[in-house]
Amino acid sequence: MANIKSAKKRVLIAERNRVRNVAFKTSIKTALKKVLELAKGEDAEALNAAISRAYQLCDKAVSKGVLHKNTAARKKSRLVLAVKRIQAAK
């Protein structure tokens, strides 16, 4: 660990931010998986709500600096394409 007081503080802050970022990314992954599961079912209203929630999480991650805006856009785009592919296969 660092010797300088400010460097020690930065180490602590970086760890706190890392934990928050990991938690945020995990919640996004969970939301995406939930959307894909709902896409296999018949409940269109629940599917739309889950897609909206996934979009909301991605946008919030961008505003907080957890994800780059292009990464969030790519995730949202791929999600909708996957849902359409699943529904077309039915």
Side-chain angles (χ1 to χ4, degrees):
M1 189 155 177
N3 293 327
I4 300 169
K5 186 176 181 181
S6 62
K8 289 179 183 178
K9 183 178 179 184
R10 293 307 304 165
V11 168
L12 295 174
I13 292 171
E15 176 61 18
R16 185 181 67 209
N17 291 344
R18 184 190 70 81
V19 169
R20 186 184 67 226
N21 291 347
V22 167
F24 220 105
K25 289 178 182 180
T26 303
S27 68
I28 290 172
K29 289 178 191 174
T30 303
L32 298 180
K33 288 178 188 175
K34 184 175 181 181
V35 169
L36 294 177
E37 281 299 315
L38 287 172
K40 295 175 185 173
E42 296 295 324
D43 193 1
E45 189 174 314
L47 176 62
N48 288 337
I51 289 174
S52 177
R53 176 73 178 146
Y55 270 45
Q56 181 184 18
L57 285 172
C58 286
D59 293 338
K60 190 176 244 187
V62 170
S63 69
K64 294 196 177 294
V66 177
L67 292 180
H68 189 273
K69 65 178 183 174
N70 291 353
T71 303
R74 184 179 66 241
K75 283 183 182 292
K76 293 189 291 189
S77 176
R78 287 180 180 172
L79 177 66
V80 172
L81 288 173
V83 167
K84 286 183 180 179
R85 199 175 308 120
I86 289 170
Q87 289 180 337
K90 283 190 211 176

Coordinates of all heavy atoms in Angstrom, one line a residue:
M1 N 0.8 -1.2 0.0 CA 0.0 0.0 0.0 C 0.9 1.2 0.0 O 2.0 1.2 0.4 CB -0.9 0.0 1.2 CG -1.9 1.0 1.2 SD -3.4 0.5 2.2 CE -4.3 2.0 2.1
A2 N 0.3 2.3 -0.4 CA 1.0 3.6 -0.6 C 1.4 4.2 0.8 O 0.8 3.9 1.8 CB 0.2 4.6 -1.3
N3 N 2.4 5.0 0.8 CA 2.9 5.7 2.0 C 2.3 7.0 2.2 O 2.1 7.5 3.4 CB 4.5 5.8 2.0 CG 5.1 4.5 2.0 OD1 4.7 3.6 2.6 ND2 6.3 4.4 1.3
I4 N 2.0 7.7 1.2 CA 1.5 9.1 1.3 C 0.0 9.1 1.6 O -0.7 8.2 1.1 CB 1.8 9.9 -0.1 CG1 3.3 9.9 -0.3 CG2 1.2 11.2 0.0 CD1 3.6 10.4 -1.7
K5 N -0.4 10.0 2.4 CA -1.8 10.0 2.9 C -2.8 10.1 1.8 O -3.8 9.4 1.8 CB -1.9 11.2 3.9 CG -3.3 11.2 4.6 CD -3.3 12.3 5.6 CE -4.7 12.3 6.3 NZ -4.8 13.4 7.3
S6 N -2.6 11.0 0.9 CA -3.5 11.2 -0.2 C -3.6 9.9 -1.1 O -4.6 9.6 -1.6 CB -3.1 12.4 -1.1 OG -1.9 12.2 -1.7
A7 N -2.4 9.2 -1.3 CA -2.4 8.0 -2.1 C -3.2 6.9 -1.4 O -3.9 6.1 -2.0 CB -1.0 7.6 -2.3
K8 N -3.1 6.9 -0.1 CA -3.8 5.9 0.7 C -5.3 6.1 0.5 O -6.1 5.2 0.4 CB -3.5 5.9 2.2 CG -2.1 5.4 2.5 CD -1.8 5.6 4.0 CE -0.4 5.1 4.3 NZ -0.1 5.3 5.8
K9 N -5.7 7.4 0.6 CA -7.1 7.8 0.4 C -7.6 7.3 -1.0 O -8.7 6.8 -1.2 CB -7.3 9.2 0.6 CG -8.7 9.7 0.5 CD -8.9 11.2 0.8 CE -10.3 11.6 0.7 NZ -10.5 13.0 0.9
R10 N -6.8 7.6 -2.0 CA -7.2 7.2 -3.4 C -7.4 5.7 -3.5 O -8.3 5.3 -4.2 CB -6.1 7.7 -4.4 CG -6.0 9.2 -4.6 CD -7.3 9.9 -4.9 NE -7.9 9.4 -6.0 CZ -9.2 9.7 -6.4 NH1 -9.9 10.4 -5.6 NH2 -9.7 9.2 -7.5
V11 N -6.5 4.9 -2.8 CA -6.7 3.5 -2.9 C -8.1 3.1 -2.3 O -8.8 2.2 -2.9 CB -5.5 2.8 -2.1 CG1 -5.8 1.3 -1.9 CG2 -4.2 3.0 -2.9
L12 N -8.4 3.7 -1.2 CA -9.7 3.4 -0.6 C -10.9 3.8 -1.5 O -11.9 3.1 -1.6 CB -9.8 4.1 0.8 CG -8.8 3.6 1.9 CD1 -8.9 4.5 3.1 CD2 -9.0 2.1 2.2
I13 N -10.8 5.0 -2.1 CA -11.8 5.5 -2.9 C -11.9 4.6 -4.2 O -13.1 4.3 -4.6 CB -11.6 6.9 -3.3 CG1 -11.7 7.8 -2.1 CG2 -12.5 7.4 -4.4 CD1 -11.3 9.3 -2.3
A14 N -10.8 4.2 -4.7 CA -10.8 3.3 -5.9 C -11.5 2.0 -5.6 O -12.3 1.5 -6.5 CB -9.4 3.1 -6.4
E15 N -11.3 1.5 -4.5 CA -11.9 0.2 -4.1 C -13.4 0.4 -3.9 O -14.2 -0.5 -4.3 CB -11.3 -0.4 -2.8 CG -11.9 -1.6 -2.3 CD -11.9 -2.8 -3.2 OE1 -11.0 -2.8 -4.2 OE2 -12.6 -3.8 -3.0
R16 N -13.8 1.5 -3.3 CA -15.2 1.7 -3.1 C -15.9 1.9 -4.4 O -17.0 1.3 -4.6 CB -15.4 3.0 -2.2 CG -16.8 3.3 -1.9 CD -16.9 4.6 -1.1 NE -16.5 5.8 -1.9 CZ -16.0 6.9 -1.5 NH1 -15.7 7.0 -0.2 NH2 -15.7 7.9 -2.3
N17 N -15.3 2.6 -5.3 CA -15.9 2.8 -6.7 C -15.9 1.5 -7.4 O -16.9 1.2 -8.1 CB -15.1 3.8 -7.5 CG -15.2 5.2 -6.9 OD1 -16.1 5.5 -6.2 ND2 -14.3 6.1 -7.3
R18 N -14.9 0.6 -7.3 CA -14.9 -0.6 -8.0 C -16.0 -1.5 -7.5 O -16.7 -2.1 -8.4 CB -13.6 -1.4 -7.7 CG -13.4 -2.7 -8.5 CD -12.2 -3.5 -8.0 NE -12.4 -4.0 -6.7 CZ -13.1 -5.1 -6.4 NH1 -13.7 -5.8 -7.4 NH2 -13.3 -5.5 -5.1
V19 N -16.3 -1.6 -6.2 CA -17.4 -2.4 -5.7 C -18.7 -1.9 -6.2 O -19.6 -2.6 -6.6 CB -17.3 -2.4 -4.1 CG1 -18.6 -3.0 -3.6 CG2 -16.1 -3.1 -3.7
R20 N -18.9 -0.5 -6.2 CA -20.1 0.0 -6.7 C -20.3 -0.3 -8.2 O -21.4 -0.6 -8.7 CB -20.2 1.6 -6.5 CG -21.5 2.2 -6.9 CD -21.5 3.7 -6.7 NE -20.6 4.3 -7.7 CZ -19.7 5.2 -7.5 NH1 -19.6 5.7 -6.3 NH2 -18.9 5.7 -8.4
N21 N -19.3 -0.1 -9.0 CA -19.3 -0.4 -10.4 C -19.7 -1.9 -10.7 O -20.5 -2.2 -11.6 CB -18.0 0.0 -11.1 CG -17.8 1.5 -11.1 OD1 -18.7 2.2 -10.9 ND2 -16.6 1.8 -11.4
V22 N -19.1 -2.8 -10.0 CA -19.3 -4.2 -10.1 C -20.8 -4.5 -9.8 O -21.5 -5.2 -10.6 CB -18.4 -5.1 -9.3 CG1 -18.9 -6.5 -9.2 CG2 -17.0 -5.0 -9.8
A23 N -21.3 -3.9 -8.8 CA -22.7 -4.1 -8.4 C -23.6 -3.6 -9.5 O -24.6 -4.2 -9.8 CB -23.0 -3.4 -7.1
F24 N -23.3 -2.5 -10.0 CA -24.1 -1.9 -11.1 C -24.1 -2.7 -12.3 O -25.2 -3.0 -12.9 CB -23.6 -0.5 -11.4 CG -24.7 0.5 -11.6 CD1 -25.0 1.5 -10.7 CD2 -25.4 0.5 -12.8 CE1 -26.0 2.4 -10.9 CE2 -26.4 1.5 -13.0 CZ -26.7 2.4 -12.1
K25 N -23.0 -3.2 -12.7 CA -22.9 -4.0 -13.9 C -23.6 -5.3 -13.7 O -24.2 -5.9 -14.7 CB -21.4 -4.2 -14.3 CG -20.7 -3.0 -14.8 CD -19.2 -3.3 -15.1 CE -18.5 -2.1 -15.6 NZ -17.1 -2.3 -15.9
T26 N -23.5 -5.9 -12.5 CA -24.2 -7.1 -12.2 C -25.7 -7.0 -12.3 O -26.4 -7.8 -12.9 CB -23.8 -7.6 -10.8 OG1 -22.4 -7.8 -10.8 CG2 -24.5 -9.0 -10.5
S27 N -26.2 -5.8 -11.8 CA -27.7 -5.6 -11.9 C -28.1 -5.4 -13.4 O -29.2 -5.9 -13.7 CB -28.1 -4.4 -11.1 OG -27.5 -3.2 -11.7
I28 N -27.3 -4.9 -14.2 CA -27.6 -4.7 -15.6 C -27.6 -6.1 -16.3 O -28.6 -6.4 -17.0 CB -26.6 -3.8 -16.4 CG1 -26.7 -2.4 -15.9 CG2 -26.7 -3.9 -17.9 CD1 -25.7 -1.5 -16.4
K29 N -26.6 -7.0 -16.0 CA -26.6 -8.3 -16.6 C -27.9 -9.1 -16.1 O -28.5 -9.8 -16.9 CB -25.4 -9.1 -16.1 CG -24.1 -8.6 -16.8 CD -22.9 -9.3 -16.2 CE -21.6 -8.7 -16.6 NZ -20.5 -9.3 -16.0
T30 N -28.3 -9.0 -14.9 CA -29.4 -9.7 -14.4 C -30.7 -9.2 -15.1 O -31.5 -10.0 -15.5 CB -29.6 -9.4 -12.9 OG1 -28.4 -9.9 -12.2 CG2 -30.8 -10.2 -12.3
A31 N -30.8 -7.9 -15.3 CA -32.0 -7.3 -16.0 C -32.0 -7.8 -17.4 O -33.1 -8.1 -18.0 CB -31.9 -5.8 -16.0
L32 N -30.9 -7.9 -18.1 CA -30.8 -8.4 -19.5 C -31.3 -9.8 -19.6 O -32.0 -10.3 -20.5 CB -29.4 -8.2 -20.1 CG -28.9 -6.8 -20.2 CD1 -27.5 -6.8 -20.8 CD2 -29.9 -5.9 -21.0
K33 N -30.8 -10.7 -18.6 CA -31.2 -12.1 -18.6 C -32.7 -12.2 -18.3 O -33.3 -13.1 -18.9 CB -30.4 -12.8 -17.5 CG -29.0 -13.0 -17.9 CD -28.2 -13.7 -16.7 CE -26.7 -13.7 -17.0 NZ -26.0 -14.3 -15.8
K34 N -33.2 -11.4 -17.5 CA -34.7 -11.4 -17.2 C -35.5 -11.1 -18.4 O -36.5 -11.7 -18.7 CB -35.0 -10.4 -16.1 CG -36.4 -10.5 -15.6 CD -36.7 -9.6 -14.4 CE -38.1 -9.7 -14.0 NZ -38.4 -8.8 -12.9
V35 N -35.0 -10.1 -19.2 CA -35.7 -9.8 -20.4 C -35.7 -11.0 -21.4 O -36.8 -11.3 -22.0 CB -35.1 -8.5 -21.1 CG1 -35.6 -8.3 -22.5 CG2 -35.3 -7.3 -20.3
L36 N -34.6 -11.6 -21.6 CA -34.5 -12.8 -22.5 C -35.4 -13.9 -22.0 O -36.0 -14.6 -22.8 CB -33.0 -13.2 -22.6 CG -32.1 -12.2 -23.3 CD1 -30.7 -12.7 -23.3 CD2 -32.6 -11.8 -24.7
E37 N -35.5 -14.1 -20.7 CA -36.4 -15.1 -20.2 C -37.9 -14.8 -20.5 O -38.7 -15.6 -20.9 CB -36.2 -15.3 -18.7 CG -35.0 -16.2 -18.3 CD -35.1 -17.6 -18.9 OE1 -36.1 -18.2 -18.8 OE2 -34.1 -18.0 -19.5
L38 N -38.2 -13.5 -20.3 CA -39.6 -13.1 -20.5 C -39.9 -13.1 -22.0 O -41.1 -13.3 -22.4 CB -39.8 -11.7 -20.0 CG -39.9 -11.6 -18.4 CD1 -39.9 -10.1 -18.0 CD2 -41.2 -12.3 -17.9
A39 N -38.9 -13.0 -22.9 CA -39.2 -13.0 -24.3 C -39.6 -14.4 -24.8 O -40.3 -14.5 -25.8 CB -37.9 -12.6 -25.1
K40 N -39.2 -15.4 -24.0 CA -39.6 -16.8 -24.4 C -41.1 -17.1 -24.0 O -41.7 -18.0 -24.5 CB -38.7 -17.8 -23.7 CG -37.3 -17.7 -24.1 CD -36.4 -18.6 -23.4 CE -34.9 -18.4 -23.8 NZ -34.0 -19.2 -22.9
G41 N -41.6 -16.2 -23.1 CA -43.0 -16.4 -22.6 C -44.0 -15.7 -23.5 O -43.7 -15.2 -24.6
E42 N -45.2 -15.5 -22.9 CA -46.3 -14.9 -23.7 C -46.7 -13.5 -23.1 O -47.5 -12.8 -23.7 CB -47.5 -15.8 -23.6 CG -47.3 -17.1 -24.3 CD -47.0 -17.0 -25.8 OE1 -47.7 -16.1 -26.4 OE2 -46.2 -17.7 -26.4
D43 N -46.2 -13.1 -21.9 CA -46.6 -11.9 -21.3 C -45.9 -10.7 -21.9 O -44.8 -10.3 -21.5 CB -46.3 -12.0 -19.8 CG -47.0 -10.9 -19.0 OD1 -47.7 -10.1 -19.6 OD2 -46.8 -10.9 -17.7
A44 N -46.6 -10.0 -22.8 CA -46.0 -8.9 -23.5 C -45.8 -7.7 -22.6 O -44.9 -6.9 -22.7 CB -46.8 -8.5 -24.7
E45 N -46.8 -7.5 -21.6 CA -46.7 -6.4 -20.7 C -45.5 -6.5 -19.8 O -44.8 -5.5 -19.6 CB -48.0 -6.3 -19.9 CG -48.1 -5.0 -19.1 CD -49.5 -5.0 -18.4 OE1 -50.5 -5.2 -19.1 OE2 -49.5 -4.6 -17.3
A46 N -45.3 -7.6 -19.3 CA -44.1 -7.8 -18.4 C -42.8 -7.7 -19.2 O -41.8 -7.2 -18.7 CB -44.1 -9.2 -17.7
L47 N -42.8 -8.1 -20.4 CA -41.6 -8.0 -21.3 C -41.3 -6.5 -21.5 O -40.1 -6.1 -21.4 CB -41.8 -8.7 -22.6 CG -40.7 -8.6 -23.6 CD1 -39.4 -9.2 -23.1 CD2 -41.1 -9.3 -24.9
N48 N -42.3 -5.7 -21.8 CA -42.1 -4.3 -22.1 C -41.6 -3.6 -20.8 O -40.7 -2.7 -20.9 CB -43.4 -3.6 -22.6 CG -43.7 -4.0 -24.0 OD1 -42.8 -4.4 -24.7 ND2 -45.0 -4.0 -24.3
A49 N -42.1 -4.0 -19.7 CA -41.6 -3.4 -18.4 C -40.2 -3.8 -18.1 O -39.4 -3.0 -17.7 CB -42.5 -3.9 -17.3
A50 N -39.8 -5.0 -18.4 CA -38.5 -5.5 -18.2 C -37.5 -4.8 -19.1 O -36.4 -4.4 -18.7 CB -38.4 -7.0 -18.3
I51 N -37.9 -4.6 -20.4 CA -37.0 -3.9 -21.3 C -36.8 -2.5 -20.9 O -35.7 -1.9 -21.0 CB -37.6 -4.0 -22.8 CG1 -37.5 -5.4 -23.3 CG2 -36.9 -3.0 -23.7 CD1 -38.2 -5.6 -24.7
S52 N -37.9 -1.8 -20.5 CA -37.8 -0.5 -20.0 C -36.9 -0.4 -18.8 O -36.1 0.6 -18.7 CB -39.2 0.0 -19.6 OG -39.1 1.3 -19.0
R53 N -36.9 -1.3 -17.9 CA -36.1 -1.3 -16.7 C -34.6 -1.5 -17.1 O -33.7 -0.9 -16.6 CB -36.5 -2.5 -15.8 CG -35.6 -2.7 -14.6 CD -35.8 -1.6 -13.6 NE -34.9 -1.8 -12.4 CZ -34.4 -0.9 -11.7 NH1 -34.6 0.4 -12.0 NH2 -33.6 -1.2 -10.7
A54 N -34.4 -2.4 -18.1 CA -33.0 -2.6 -18.6 C -32.4 -1.4 -19.2 O -31.3 -1.0 -19.0 CB -33.0 -3.8 -19.6
Y55 N -33.3 -0.7 -20.0 CA -32.9 0.6 -20.6 C -32.5 1.6 -19.6 O -31.5 2.3 -19.7 CB -34.0 1.1 -21.5 CG -33.9 0.6 -23.0 CD1 -33.7 -0.7 -23.3 CD2 -34.1 1.5 -24.0 CE1 -33.6 -1.1 -24.6 CE2 -34.1 1.1 -25.3 CZ -33.8 -0.2 -25.6 OH -33.8 -0.6 -26.9
Q56 N -33.4 1.7 -18.6 CA -33.2 2.6 -17.5 C -31.9 2.4 -16.8 O -31.1 3.3 -16.5 CB -34.3 2.5 -16.5 CG -34.3 3.5 -15.3 CD -35.4 3.2 -14.3 OE1 -36.0 2.1 -14.3 NE2 -35.7 4.2 -13.5
L57 N -31.6 1.1 -16.5 CA -30.3 0.8 -15.8 C -29.1 1.1 -16.6 O -28.1 1.7 -16.1 CB -30.3 -0.7 -15.4 CG -31.1 -1.1 -14.2 CD1 -31.2 -2.6 -14.1 CD2 -30.6 -0.5 -13.0
C58 N -29.2 0.9 -17.9 CA -28.1 1.2 -18.8 C -27.8 2.7 -18.9 O -26.7 3.2 -18.8 CB -28.3 0.6 -20.2 SG -28.1 -1.1 -20.4
D59 N -28.9 3.4 -19.0 CA -28.8 4.9 -19.1 C -28.3 5.5 -17.8 O -27.4 6.4 -17.8 CB -30.1 5.5 -19.4 CG -30.6 5.2 -20.8 OD1 -29.7 4.9 -21.7 OD2 -31.8 5.3 -21.1
K60 N -28.7 4.9 -16.7 CA -28.2 5.4 -15.4 C -26.7 5.1 -15.2 O -26.0 5.9 -14.7 CB -29.0 4.7 -14.2 CG -28.7 5.3 -12.9 CD -29.6 4.7 -11.8 CE -30.5 5.8 -11.3 NZ -31.3 5.3 -10.1
A61 N -26.3 3.9 -15.7 CA -24.9 3.6 -15.6 C -24.0 4.5 -16.4 O -22.9 4.9 -16.0 CB -24.7 2.1 -16.1
V62 N -24.5 5.0 -17.6 CA -23.8 6.0 -18.4 C -23.7 7.3 -17.6 O -22.6 7.9 -17.6 CB -24.5 6.2 -19.8 CG1 -23.9 7.3 -20.5 CG2 -24.4 4.9 -20.6
S63 N -24.8 7.7 -17.0 CA -24.8 9.0 -16.3 C -23.8 9.0 -15.1 O -23.3 10.0 -14.8 CB -26.2 9.4 -15.9 OG -26.6 8.6 -14.9
K64 N -23.7 7.8 -14.5 CA -22.8 7.7 -13.4 C -21.4 7.4 -13.7 O -20.5 7.3 -12.9 CB -23.3 6.7 -12.4 CG -24.6 7.1 -11.8 CD -25.0 6.2 -10.6 CE -26.2 6.7 -9.9 NZ -26.2 8.0 -9.3
G65 N -21.1 7.1 -15.0 CA -19.7 6.9 -15.5 C -19.3 5.4 -15.3 O -18.2 5.1 -15.4
V66 N -20.3 4.5 -15.1 CA -20.0 3.1 -15.0 C -19.8 2.5 -16.3 O -18.9 1.7 -16.5 CB -21.1 2.4 -14.2 CG1 -20.8 0.9 -14.1 CG2 -21.2 3.0 -12.8
L67 N -20.6 2.9 -17.3 CA -20.5 2.4 -18.7 C -20.3 3.6 -19.6 O -20.7 4.7 -19.4 CB -21.8 1.7 -19.1 CG -22.2 0.4 -18.5 CD1 -23.5 -0.1 -19.1 CD2 -21.1 -0.7 -18.7
H68 N -19.6 3.3 -20.7 CA -19.4 4.3 -21.8 C -20.8 4.3 -22.6 O -21.5 3.3 -22.6 CB -18.3 3.8 -22.7 CG -17.9 4.9 -23.7 ND1 -18.6 5.0 -24.9 CD2 -17.0 5.9 -23.7 CE1 -18.0 6.0 -25.6 NE2 -17.1 6.5 -24.9
K69 N -21.1 5.4 -23.1 CA -22.4 5.6 -23.8 C -22.5 4.6 -25.0 O -23.6 4.1 -25.2 CB -22.6 7.0 -24.2 CG -21.7 7.5 -25.3 CD -22.0 8.9 -25.7 CE -21.1 9.4 -26.8 NZ -21.5 10.7 -27.3
N70 N -21.5 4.3 -25.7 CA -21.6 3.4 -26.8 C -21.7 2.0 -26.3 O -22.4 1.2 -27.0 CB -20.3 3.5 -27.7 CG -20.2 4.8 -28.4 OD1 -21.1 5.6 -28.4 ND2 -19.1 5.0 -29.1
T71 N -21.2 1.6 -25.2 CA -21.4 0.3 -24.6 C -22.8 0.1 -24.2 O -23.4 -0.9 -24.5 CB -20.5 0.1 -23.4 OG1 -19.1 0.4 -23.7 CG2 -20.6 -1.2 -22.8
A72 N -23.4 1.1 -23.6 CA -24.8 1.0 -23.2 C -25.7 0.9 -24.5 O -26.6 0.1 -24.5 CB -25.2 2.2 -22.4
A73 N -25.4 1.7 -25.5 CA -26.2 1.7 -26.7 C -26.1 0.3 -27.4 O -27.1 -0.3 -27.9 CB -25.7 2.7 -27.7
R74 N -24.9 -0.3 -27.4 CA -24.7 -1.6 -27.9 C -25.4 -2.7 -27.2 O -26.1 -3.5 -27.8 CB -23.2 -2.0 -27.9 CG -22.9 -3.3 -28.6 CD -21.4 -3.6 -28.6 NE -20.9 -3.8 -27.2 CZ -20.0 -3.1 -26.7 NH1 -19.4 -2.1 -27.3 NH2 -19.6 -3.4 -25.4
K75 N -25.4 -2.6 -25.8 CA -26.2 -3.6 -25.0 C -27.7 -3.5 -25.3 O -28.3 -4.5 -25.5 CB -25.9 -3.3 -23.5 CG -24.6 -3.8 -23.0 CD -24.4 -3.6 -21.5 CE -23.1 -4.0 -21.0 NZ -22.9 -5.4 -21.1
K76 N -28.2 -2.3 -25.4 CA -29.6 -2.1 -25.7 C -30.0 -2.6 -27.0 O -31.0 -3.2 -27.2 CB -30.0 -0.6 -25.5 CG -29.9 -0.1 -24.1 CD -30.4 1.3 -23.8 CE -29.7 2.4 -24.5 NZ -30.1 3.7 -24.1
S77 N -29.1 -2.3 -28.0 CA -29.4 -2.7 -29.4 C -29.4 -4.2 -29.5 O -30.3 -4.8 -30.1 CB -28.4 -2.1 -30.3 OG -28.5 -2.6 -31.6
R78 N -28.4 -4.9 -28.9 CA -28.3 -6.3 -29.0 C -29.5 -7.0 -28.2 O -29.9 -8.1 -28.6 CB -27.0 -6.8 -28.4 CG -25.8 -6.5 -29.3 CD -24.5 -7.0 -28.8 NE -23.4 -6.7 -29.7 CZ -22.1 -6.8 -29.4 NH1 -21.8 -7.3 -28.2 NH2 -21.2 -6.5 -30.3
L79 N -29.9 -6.3 -27.2 CA -31.0 -6.9 -26.4 C -32.3 -6.9 -27.2 O -33.0 -8.0 -27.3 CB -31.3 -6.0 -25.1 CG -32.4 -6.4 -24.3 CD1 -32.2 -7.8 -23.6 CD2 -32.7 -5.4 -23.2
V80 N -32.6 -5.8 -27.9 CA -33.8 -5.8 -28.7 C -33.7 -6.8 -29.9 O -34.7 -7.4 -30.2 CB -34.1 -4.3 -29.2 CG1 -35.2 -4.3 -30.2 CG2 -34.4 -3.4 -28.0
L81 N -32.5 -6.9 -30.5 CA -32.4 -7.8 -31.6 C -32.6 -9.2 -31.1 O -33.2 -10.1 -31.8 CB -31.0 -7.7 -32.2 CG -30.7 -6.4 -33.0 CD1 -29.3 -6.3 -33.5 CD2 -31.6 -6.4 -34.3
A82 N -32.1 -9.6 -29.9 CA -32.2 -10.9 -29.4 C -33.7 -11.2 -29.1 O -34.2 -12.3 -29.3 CB -31.4 -11.1 -28.1
V83 N -34.4 -10.2 -28.5 CA -35.8 -10.4 -28.2 C -36.6 -10.7 -29.5 O -37.4 -11.6 -29.6 CB -36.4 -9.2 -27.5 CG1 -37.9 -9.2 -27.4 CG2 -35.8 -9.1 -26.1
K84 N -36.3 -9.9 -30.6 CA -37.0 -10.1 -31.8 C -36.7 -11.4 -32.4 O -37.6 -12.1 -33.0 CB -36.6 -8.9 -32.8 CG -37.2 -7.6 -32.5 CD -36.9 -6.6 -33.5 CE -37.5 -5.2 -33.2 NZ -37.1 -4.2 -34.1
R85 N -35.4 -11.9 -32.3 CA -35.0 -13.2 -32.8 C -35.8 -14.3 -32.1 O -36.3 -15.2 -32.7 CB -33.5 -13.3 -32.7 CG -33.0 -14.4 -33.5 CD -31.4 -14.5 -33.5 NE -30.8 -13.2 -33.7 CZ -30.0 -12.6 -32.9 NH1 -29.7 -13.0 -31.7 NH2 -29.5 -11.4 -33.2
I86 N -35.9 -14.2 -30.8 CA -36.6 -15.2 -30.0 C -38.1 -15.2 -30.3 O -38.7 -16.3 -30.5 CB -36.4 -14.9 -28.5 CG1 -35.0 -15.2 -28.0 CG2 -37.4 -15.7 -27.6 CD1 -34.6 -14.7 -26.6
Q87 N -38.7 -14.0 -30.5 CA -40.1 -14.0 -30.8 C -40.4 -14.5 -32.2 O -41.4 -15.0 -32.5 CB -40.6 -12.6 -30.6 CG -40.7 -12.2 -29.1 CD -41.2 -10.8 -28.9 OE1 -41.2 -10.0 -29.8 NE2 -41.7 -10.6 -27.7
A88 N -39.5 -14.3 -33.2 CA -39.6 -14.7 -34.5 C -39.5 -16.2 -34.6 O -40.2 -16.9 -35.4 CB -38.6 -14.1 -35.4
A89 N -38.8 -16.8 -33.7 CA -38.6 -18.3 -33.7 C -39.8 -19.0 -33.1 O -39.9 -20.2 -33.4 CB -37.3 -18.7 -32.9
K90 N -40.7 -18.3 -32.4 CA -41.9 -18.9 -31.9 C -42.8 -19.4 -32.9 O -43.1 -18.8 -33.9 CB -42.6 -18.0 -30.9 CG -41.9 -17.9 -29.6 CD -42.8 -17.1 -28.7 CE -42.2 -16.3 -27.7 NZ -43.1 -15.5 -26.9

